[in-house]
Amino acid sequence: MEERTQVLVVGAGLGGLSASLFLAREGVDVLTVERHAGTSVHSRAAGQNWRTMELFHWAGIDREVLEVSPRASQGLRITVATSLAGRVLHRLLEDGSEYDISASTTMPAGMAGQDVVEPILLAHAEKAGARVRFRTELVDLTQDDDGVTATLRHRDSGEETVVRADYVVAADGGRSGIRGRLGIGTTGMDALSHCLGVVFDADLGDRVRPGVTDLFYLQHPDFTAGLVNTDVPNRYVFAPDYFPARGESPADFPHDRLVAMIRSATDLPDLEPRIVWTGSWEVAARLADRFREGRVFLVGDAAKVTPPTGGQGGNTAVGDGADIAWKLAAVLRGDAGPALLDTYEAERRPIARMIIDTSLHNMKQRMHPGLDVSGITPAEDPLNAVLGFRYRSSAVLSEEPDDGARVEDIHAPTGRPGFRAPGLASTLDLLGRSWVLLCAGDGWGPAAAEAGIDCHVVDDQLFAARYGLSTGGASLVRPDGVVAWRAPMSVDDPAGELRRVLDAVLSR
Ligand SMILES: Cc1cc2nc3c(=O)[nH]c(=O)nc-3n(C[C@H](O)[C@H](O)[C@H](O)COP(=O)(O)OP(=O)(O)OC[C@H]3O[C@@H](n4cnc5c(N)ncnc54)[C@H](O)[C@@H]3O)c2cc1C
């Protein structure tokens, strides 16, 4: 018998679980399938930037994420050195508090690993009504004008079931089988480097600063490697590169060799590290040529794979999941026309491009000085990329002239359409649930009521300044906290204006 769902999510990583949570919170019927028996056991993507925490705040999980990342409040230190006690080549960041983000957000950043964040996303997605099935993989997918037919197989029993969905979110990771099945190519650089991931327990004493996330990029004479502490006391991740071009493979790094490398990396020749997990992965920079084929949308690593230098892979997977969720929900509810779904690629693909470019420049600076980045667009300031990003699509009524910039300076947010609405103390909790009109004065209430959207008069000088409004002006903010349109000052026909704007940005 054929099962029905509105949205089938394939993959229960950060991208898939975020999509599931945000969809379920919008009341969408969502079925999520994951081929593994549970969520990720390896901490992999550690760290939630302020934008991710803002999305998590709106999803009601920010506190839990902060509780499982006690290091977050103490900051992040990033050092490029020859070894832990060796020569320091660059100190990229001394302490996370060096970042001044106060003009843009009141949210703190998190530092939790993927292994502890995914269970939180899962629990809340299920609580909101998502059905999640582990050890269940998608093995076939076809689509027509009305929906998608997917064949799922249970990995233990081998039993196959057929699901009919209105839409599919393909969050099936960097080697996305769905992407391949849809014939969507990728462009970029494969095999930039090959890494081992070695999780080990040891007491490194004062080599690593307690309480903070202490990230080292090691350019040791014998190897290049990353080394970072985790949320578990005395547990570290050591990630040395290996070189297939020199005939190396993970098999060439048996236990004793890894122990010797950890001793060299830490300058602790007598250390007895207890290795608890090893794995390997290929660092690549690949962008899918399209993020959509018909009713199927690529999310997270399925849409792009970025080098980990900058820690944006997991964060943008969350951002993709949240983005496609509100758009699918609006279309499924009939609030928006189907063309709203075209804005997913229009908005998220340029962000993926920017993140990949910036991570490649970081990789050259931190790990691989010989990496050729000559043809790559210059890196953006990391704060501006995270909080000052810009969307251009039909879901935004841009103001002319457009200066063409990818980001704006987060120390001086402008409130222009396409940019994040600054999350001030007075506005953060008004945002992130549905469309909202934030007003610098009266006059918009009846128009908003007629349009069926929330309206708040914010009596705060800072709000008016940061949102670029004079008395009587209003800013229309989307469910993802991005400004869709604004009237910098009062208008003659608020109801007519709002109707025209909503019809445009919702593709109605
Ligand atoms: C070792 C390692 C270290 C990393 N370190 C960092 C870091 O420090 N910072 C950072 O930001 N990022 C890091 N990343 C990248 C980060 O982990 C990814 O960007 C992030 O996990 C992407 O999430 P995702 O949901 O798109 O994909 P994934 O987490 O890969 O999830 C995809 C899921 O889909 C499932 N799946 C695949 N095919 C099917 C199918 N047919 N049916 C059902 N299920 C399927 C898979 O089992 C998997 O669970 C690292 C990655 C690795 C491998």
Side-chain angles (χ1 to χ4, degrees):
M1 203 184 67
E2 190 176 275
E3 191 179 352
R4 271 275 320 153
T5 187
Q6 286 183 297
V7 181
L8 172 67
V9 177
V10 182
L14 289 174
L17 288 172
S18 296
S20 308
L21 172 57
F22 281 92
L23 281 163
R25 283 178 64 87
E26 294 261 9
V28 173
D29 175 37
V30 52
L31 171 65
T32 303
V33 294
E34 164 59 52
R35 67 155 59 117
H36 286 135
T39 51
S40 179
V41 287
H42 178 17
S43 60
R44 296 200 286 164
Q48 295 71 42
N49 64 38
W50 307 275
R51 170 61 176 168
T52 300
M53 289 304 289
E54 177 174 78
L55 294 170
F56 283 176
H57 179 70
W58 294 330
I61 63 169
D62 55 319
R63 290 219 181 99
E64 272 178 68
V65 170
L66 286 177
E67 275 165 22
V68 294
S69 58
R71 295 171 299 165
S73 57
Q74 312 297 324
L76 167 68
R77 186 171 76 155
I78 303 180
T79 309
V80 183
T82 55
S83 59
L84 259 51
R87 194 157 58 88
V88 172
L89 305 173
H90 309 281
R91 187 78 82 184
L92 296 173
L93 198 63
E94 187 57 46
D95 175 344
S97 61
E98 289 162 34
Y99 287 136
D100 176 12
I101 48 152
S102 56
S104 185
T105 184
T106 53
M107 290 304 299
M111 263 304 158
Q114 201 165 332
D115 54 332
V116 289
V117 172
E118 287 182 358
I120 297 173
L121 287 166
L122 171 65
H124 284 263
E126 288 186 316
K127 200 165 132 202
R131 292 168 289 147
V132 186
R133 289 185 202 150
F134 288 97
R135 291 206 60 73
T136 304
E137 64 182 337
L138 178 135
V139 291
D140 193 26
L141 176 146
T142 56
Q143 56 177 319
D144 51 53
D145 289 347
D146 301 323
V148 186
T149 302
T151 306
L152 309 177
R153 181 186 297 147
H154 194 273
R155 293 188 77 195
D156 297 328
S157 65
E159 188 191 341
E160 293 197 349
T161 49
V162 175
V163 174
R164 181 78 176 161
D166 295 318
Y167 295 99
V168 168
V169 172
D172 55 342
R175 293 197 176 87
S176 172
I178 297 180
R179 190 184 62 222
R181 201 178 283 277
L182 297 173
I184 300 178
T186 61
T187 42
M189 298 185 236
D190 283 321
L192 285 164
S193 67
H194 294 80
C195 289
L196 303 173
V198 183
V199 180
F200 71 93
D201 291 343
D203 181 356
L204 299 188
D206 61 3
R207 290 281 193 266
V208 174
R209 190 188 285 180
V212 305
T213 297
D214 209 1
L215 172 60
F216 290 86
Y217 292 99
L218 301 178
Q219 295 180 12
H220 189 275
D222 300 332
F223 52 82
T224 49
L227 194 150
V228 66
N229 52 351
T230 71
D231 287 311
V232 179
N234 288 333
R235 176 159 293 179
Y236 301 87
V237 177
F238 177 59
D241 292 324
Y242 70 95
F243 299 89
R246 295 180 203 156
E248 286 178 348
S249 80
D252 296 318
F253 294 81
H255 178 271
D256 289 354
R257 183 171 178 196
L258 290 175
V259 168
M261 290 171 80
I262 291 169
R263 287 175 178 159
S264 300
T266 56
D267 298 299
L268 294 168
D270 300 322
L271 193 75
E272 293 292 348
R274 191 175 75 86
I275 293 177
V276 292
W277 187 92
T278 58
S280 63
W281 84 98
E282 178 190 300
V283 176
R286 275 197 312 259
L287 181 62
D289 298 337
R290 288 173 287 129
F291 277 19
R292 171 184 192 178
E293 177 64 38
R295 291 172 168 270
V296 184
F297 297 85
L298 305 183
V299 157
D301 278 16
K304 57 96 191 50
V305 177
T306 181
T309 34
Q312 295 305 316
N315 282 295
T316 48
V318 173
D320 289 349
D323 191 79
I324 194 59
W326 80 260
K327 291 171 180 172
L328 283 172
V331 171
L332 285 163
R333 261 198 313 265
D335 291 347
L340 177 67
L341 299 176
D342 292 335
T343 69
Y344 171 68
E345 174 177 318
E347 296 183 351
R348 295 304 295 174
R349 197 166 178 276
I351 298 288
R353 173 81 272 161
M354 174 170 71
I355 291 306
I356 291 172
D357 293 347
T358 301
S359 301
L360 281 167
H361 285 284
N362 289 344
M363 190 171 172
K364 179 181 174 70
Q365 183 193 34
R366 300 177 191 179
M367 296 275 282
H368 296 280
L371 183 68
D372 180 8
V373 292
S374 51
I376 310 290
T377 308
E380 297 292 352
D381 173 90
L383 298 192
N384 294 345
V386 168
L387 291 168
F389 62 86
R390 177 181 208 158
Y391 287 158
R392 292 179 177 88
S393 78
S394 61
V396 166
L397 293 189
S398 297
E399 289 173 6
E400 300 298 331
D402 182 338
D403 60 8
R406 300 201 282 189
V407 298
E408 71 174 4
D409 177 6
I410 63 139
H411 303 103
T414 57
R416 284 175 294 165
F419 293 97
R420 260 183 70 257
L424 311 175
S426 57
T427 61
L428 180 70
D429 286 318
L430 303 177
L431 304 174
R433 279 164 191 87
S434 57
W435 287 83
V436 62
L437 196 66
L438 300 183
C439 311
D442 297 326
W444 289 91
E450 190 188 304
I453 63 169
D454 289 341
C455 178
H456 299 277
V457 176
V458 184
D459 188 12
D460 173 6
Q461 288 296 320
L462 192 62
F463 158 71
R466 296 265 160 79
Y467 281 65
L469 306 177
S470 35
T471 306
S475 178
L476 178 66
V477 186
R478 315 187 319 180
D480 60 348
V482 168
V483 178
W485 167 81
R486 69 177 171 179
M489 55 193 75
S490 59
V491 299
D492 291 339
D493 177 16
E497 191 79 341
L498 201 53
R499 212 178 304 123
R500 177 188 71 78
V501 166
L502 281 167
D503 284 349
V505 294
L506 285 168
S507 302
R508 297 196 290 221

